[in-house]
Structures are given as structure tokens and as C-alpha cells.
Amino acid sequence: MSGTIRSNIKIGTRVKVVQKHHQRTGELTEGVVSKLLTKSPSHPHGIKVMLEGGIVGRVKEIVK
């Protein structure tokens, strides 16, 4: 499933995100979604979410 489509991501979903300061390196952080921050139905760079630890980033992968 794609991290660019909002309907694929629900609160409680395990995802990998790229944080703003890691965009150049592409380093991914894994966590559980606590809040959806992007309001539009899709975003080409990934839906912005907040993870349970307070980390904010754009979803690159949805972990099964």
C-alpha cells in the first residue's frame, strides 16, 4: 500500500516515515501513527503523520 494516499493510513497503523531533517539521506523511522496531519486525500511526497513518540514525518512505507 502506498503512503501517498490518506485512506491507506489509519491511527494505530505501523509505518516508516522520513523526518524533515533526514530527507536528504532518506533515513526512515518506524513507529505507530497517533495523528494524521495531512488533510488532503493524497500527497506526492507522502502523508504527514505524527507517531506515538511525537515524531513528525511523511509516510514512505506501510509496515505489514
Side-chain angles (χ1 to χ4, degrees):
M1 279 196 287
S2 176
T4 61
I5 301 170
R6 192 173 191 270
S7 62
N8 289 345
I9 303 161
K10 306 278 185 252
I11 293 172
T13 305
R14 181 164 285 280
V15 296
K16 291 184 181 178
V17 300
V18 64
Q19 296 176 64
K20 183 77 171 175
H21 58 277
H22 291 306
Q23 283 178 340
R24 287 182 191 262
T25 63
E27 182 182 326
L28 297 177
T29 305
E30 189 170 326
V32 177
V33 176
S34 68
K35 190 185 282 186
L36 294 166
L37 302 176
T38 299
K39 298 294 182 212
S40 64
S42 66
H43 191 284
H45 301 296
I47 300 299
K48 190 180 277 188
V49 298
M50 181 180 287
L51 302 180
E52 286 181 343
I55 294 169
V56 174
R58 293 199 180 271
V59 177
K60 295 299 177 187
E61 290 179 38
I62 298 174
V63 179
K64 299 286 181 201

